[in-house]
Structure formats: structure tokens, C-alpha cells
Amino acid sequence: DHFVKVRALIRDLIERLNEQAKSEATQKSFCDKEMKAATDKRDKEQSNVEDNKAKIAAKEAEIAKLTQEIAELSRAIADNKKALKEATDLRQKESAENEKPVAEAEAR
């Protein structure tokens, strides 16, 4: 009689342990699946970050190159403006010098 109760208690305990084991296995499976998904997503996002950093570095290099070209072209424009002004001043001076002989010739 006492053994029957003990056996029933042991069976109940074994059933509860088996149910807990199944529950834990299901939970572990879920956690493993979610962990893999999270890890995959993290890796993908990390790859995107690295790609974007590379793009940013390339664009910054391009900006530096274009800034240098702008500076060089600005210097060239300034040099051309200076040369144009000098040429204009020289032409005006020569024109003024030529007007005297032309005016004298017309006066004769």
C-alpha cells in the first residue's frame, strides 16, 4: 500500500520532470532560433556599416581632391584676370599714344 503511493509519487515526479524537460527544450530551441536570427541581422548591419564607412572615406577623398582643384583653378583665374588687366592697361596706353600722331596727322 505504501509502495503504491511512493510509486505514484515517483511517476508524477517523473512526468513533471519530463514536461519541464520538453518545455525547456522548446524554449531552448526558440532561443537558439532567435539568437541565430539576431546574430545574422547584426552581421548584416555590421557589413552595411563597413560599406558605408568605405563610401564615406571615398567621398571625403573626392572632396579633398576637388577642393584642391578648386584652389588651383581659382589661382589660375586670378592669374588670368591679372594678365587681362595688364593687357588692357597696355592697350589703353598704346591707344592713347597712337591717338596723338593720328590727331596731328588729321590736323595737317
Side-chain angles (χ1 to χ4, degrees):
D1 196 28
H2 292 291
F3 289 112
V4 173
K5 286 182 182 179
V6 170
R7 286 183 187 160
L9 287 174
I10 291 174
R11 263 189 243 121
D12 289 342
L13 183 60
I14 290 173
E15 284 179 26
R16 273 192 285 154
L17 289 173
N18 283 335
E19 287 175 16
Q20 285 178 354
K22 285 179 188 177
S23 175
E24 288 176 7
T26 302
Q27 185 176 2
K28 183 179 182 326
S29 173
F30 173 79
C31 289
D32 289 346
K33 184 175 124 185
E34 290 300 311
M35 182 64 94
K36 180 174 179 1
T39 302
D40 290 346
K41 183 177 180 183
R42 182 205 60 206
D43 292 345
K44 180 182 174 190
E45 294 301 324
Q46 182 65 31
S47 176
N48 288 342
V49 166
E50 290 170 5
D51 289 346
N52 287 335
K53 283 182 180 179
K55 288 177 185 177
I56 288 170
K59 293 297 181 186
E60 286 174 346
E62 186 177 355
I63 287 170
K65 177 185 169 201
L66 293 174
T67 301
Q68 182 180 359
E69 286 181 20
I70 288 170
E72 291 171 3
L73 292 173
S74 293
R75 282 191 295 274
I77 289 170
D79 291 345
N80 287 340
K81 284 183 179 180
K82 181 181 175 187
L84 178 63
K85 183 176 179 344
E86 289 173 357
T88 301
D89 290 345
L90 181 61
R91 274 189 237 113
Q92 286 175 348
K93 180 182 171 189
E94 289 173 350
S95 177
E97 289 175 2
N98 285 337
E99 283 182 20
K100 286 182 185 178
V102 170
E104 289 174 3
E106 288 178 353
R108 291 187 190 171

